[in-house]
Amino acid sequence: MSDTTHSLLPTSAETSHFVRQTGDEPPAQEAPIRAKRRPQYGQIVTGLVAIALLVLFVQSQARNTNMEWGVTWQYMFNPVVLQGVGVTIQLALFAMLISIVLAFVIALMIQSNNKVASVIGRAYVWFFRGVPMLVQVLLWFNLAVLFPVILGQETNSLISGFTAGLIALSLAESGYMAEIIRGGIISVPAGQTDAGVSIGLTRNQALARIVLPQSIRVIIPPTGNQFIGMLKATSLVSVIGGSDLLTRVQLIYGQNFKILPLLMVAVLWYLILVTIAGTGQHFLERRFNASQPGSRKARTTAGLGTTITRTIIGGAPWRK
C-alpha cells in the first residue's frame, strides 16, 4: 500500500472519536417537538368577512315576510312530505346499487380482450351517457307506446312512475359508474396482474384479490359524489309523478299556492340528505385510503413511527 493511500485512511485514534461511548446517549424526549405556527391574519380576516356576509344574508331572509317561514316549518315534517323523503331515499339507494352492478359488468366488458364485448360495452356507455337523464325518464314512462303488452300484461300496469324513474336513473348512472370503475381498475399497474398470474392465480383471481382491493380507494370518492348527484337527480321523476319529495311538495303547493315556502321545504330536505351522504362518504374514504390521517393503516403506521423514534432516541425496547 502506498504512503498516499495510507495517509487517507483514519487512524485508530481518529476512528475512536466517532464511536458513541456508554452514557453519551442524548436524553429521551417524552413529548414531541411542536413548531409554533404564525398567525394567519389574512385567513382570519377572510373568515370574519365571510361570517359577516352570511349573518347579513340570513338576517335579511329571516325578516323577509314573503318567505313565509312559518309555512315552511309547518310542512317540514308533514307526513306527506316525509313519505316523499322516503321515496327519494329508496330511489337513490336502489338506483345506485343497480347501476354499480351493471357498471362493474360493463367495465369488465370494456377491458376484455374480446373485441365484440369491448365494443358493446363502449356503445352502452356512449348511449346512456349521451342521452339526458330527463329524456330517459320520459322514454321509459311512455314505453307502452312501443310495447303495449309485456309478458302478457299491460305495460302501463307494469311500469309506474316509480318503476320508470328507477329504470331510467339506474341505466343512466351505470354509464357514468362504468367509467369510474374502469378508471379504478386501470389505475393499478398491469404488472401486478401479471405477477399474480406468475404465482399461479388465474386472471379473475388476480382481479379479485390484487386489482380490486387496490382500486377501491380510487373508486370510492367519485362514487360518493355520484350518489350525492343521484339524490338530487331523483327530483327528475317529478315530471312523471314518481311520488318523490319534489312531487309531494308540488302536490301540496298546487292546493294552497304557497309555492316558495314549500320549495324551501324541499331545499332543506335535499340539503339534509346530501349532508348525511357527504359525511358517510368522508368516513368511508378515511377507512379505505391509507394516506388519510384517520385510516386504520395510517394510525398503525403513525404508532410504529413513534415507537421507532423513541427507540432510537431514548433507547427504549422495541414494541410489537
Side-chain angles (χ1 to χ4, degrees):
M1 183 180 296
S2 63
D3 295 339
T4 305
T5 305
H6 181 74
S7 62
L8 294 176
L9 295 176
T11 63
S12 58
E14 292 174 342
T15 55
S16 62
H17 175 73
F18 299 96
V19 178
R20 177 175 292 174
Q21 302 298 324
T22 304
D24 292 341
E25 294 86 357
Q29 181 179 339
E30 298 298 334
I33 299 176
R34 300 186 181 276
K36 186 177 180 180
R37 298 183 61 182
R38 295 182 179 180
Q40 303 291 329
Y41 296 108
Q43 196 174 39
I44 295 174
V45 172
T46 304
L48 292 176
V49 171
I51 293 174
L53 292 176
L54 179 62
V55 170
L56 291 175
F57 175 76
V58 173
Q59 187 178 16
S60 65
Q61 297 305 310
R63 295 179 178 179
N64 192 337
T65 57
N66 295 325
M67 291 297 298
E68 298 183 83
W69 288 107
V71 178
T72 299
W73 305 129
Q74 177 185 351
Y75 285 96
M76 191 67 187
F77 297 98
N78 186 280
V80 176
V81 174
L82 293 179
Q83 290 175 3
V85 173
V87 172
T88 294
I89 296 174
Q90 291 178 25
L91 270 174
L93 287 175
F94 292 155
M96 200 67 196
L97 290 175
I98 294 172
S99 67
I100 289 175
V101 174
L102 291 175
F104 182 75
V105 176
I106 297 301
L108 293 182
M109 290 175 62
I110 295 176
Q111 292 297 109
S112 173
N113 293 328
N114 188 327
K115 299 299 182 182
V116 176
S118 180
V119 170
I120 293 175
R122 294 183 183 278
Y124 181 97
V125 172
W126 166 78
F127 179 81
F128 286 105
R129 283 200 312 177
V131 180
M133 196 174 292
L134 179 59
V135 176
Q136 296 187 46
V137 170
L138 294 173
L139 285 174
W140 282 102
F141 186 67
N142 294 281
L143 187 64
V145 177
L146 292 177
F147 304 101
V149 178
I150 297 178
L151 300 176
Q153 297 186 15
E154 293 186 359
T155 304
N156 287 330
S157 63
L158 288 177
I159 300 182
S160 61
F162 180 88
T163 307
L166 179 61
I167 295 173
L169 293 175
S170 301
L171 295 178
E173 185 63 29
S174 64
Y176 295 95
M177 283 302 304
E179 288 298 286
I180 291 175
I181 295 175
R182 188 177 70 88
I185 292 175
I186 64 178
S187 67
V188 180
Q192 299 203 23
T193 302
D194 298 334
V197 173
S198 67
I199 62 175
L201 298 178
T202 64
R203 290 200 170 269
N204 291 335
Q205 290 175 333
L207 176 67
R209 299 181 183 181
I210 299 176
V211 177
L212 290 182
Q214 297 182 71
S215 62
I216 286 294
R217 64 183 182 86
V218 180
I219 294 174
I220 284 179
T223 301
N225 185 62
Q226 290 297 116
F227 179 70
I228 292 175
M230 178 67 73
L231 281 171
K232 298 181 292 182
T234 55
S235 61
L236 295 176
V237 304
S238 63
V239 300
I240 58 174
S243 300
D244 66 307
L245 173 60
L246 185 57
T247 302
R248 302 301 178 96
V249 166
Q250 289 175 333
L251 290 175
I252 296 175
Y253 73 62
Q255 298 174 358
N256 59 15
F257 302 104
K258 301 292 185 178
I259 299 177
L260 192 57
L262 268 300
L263 287 178
M264 287 305 302
V265 171
V267 168
L268 292 176
W269 270 115
Y270 281 122
L271 288 176
I272 292 172
L273 295 178
V274 167
T275 302
I276 295 174
T279 303
Q281 176 189 354
H282 170 71
F283 286 105
L284 198 60
E285 288 181 16
R286 289 178 58 180
R287 173 64 181 82
F288 283 93
N289 193 351
S291 62
Q292 294 292 329
S295 67
R296 180 179 298 178
K297 183 177 289 187
R299 291 195 298 269
T300 304
T301 305
L304 179 60
T306 303
T307 302
I308 294 174
T309 302
R310 290 180 177 177
T311 301
I312 294 176
I313 295 178
W318 288 91
R319 291 183 296 177
K320 295 184 180 180

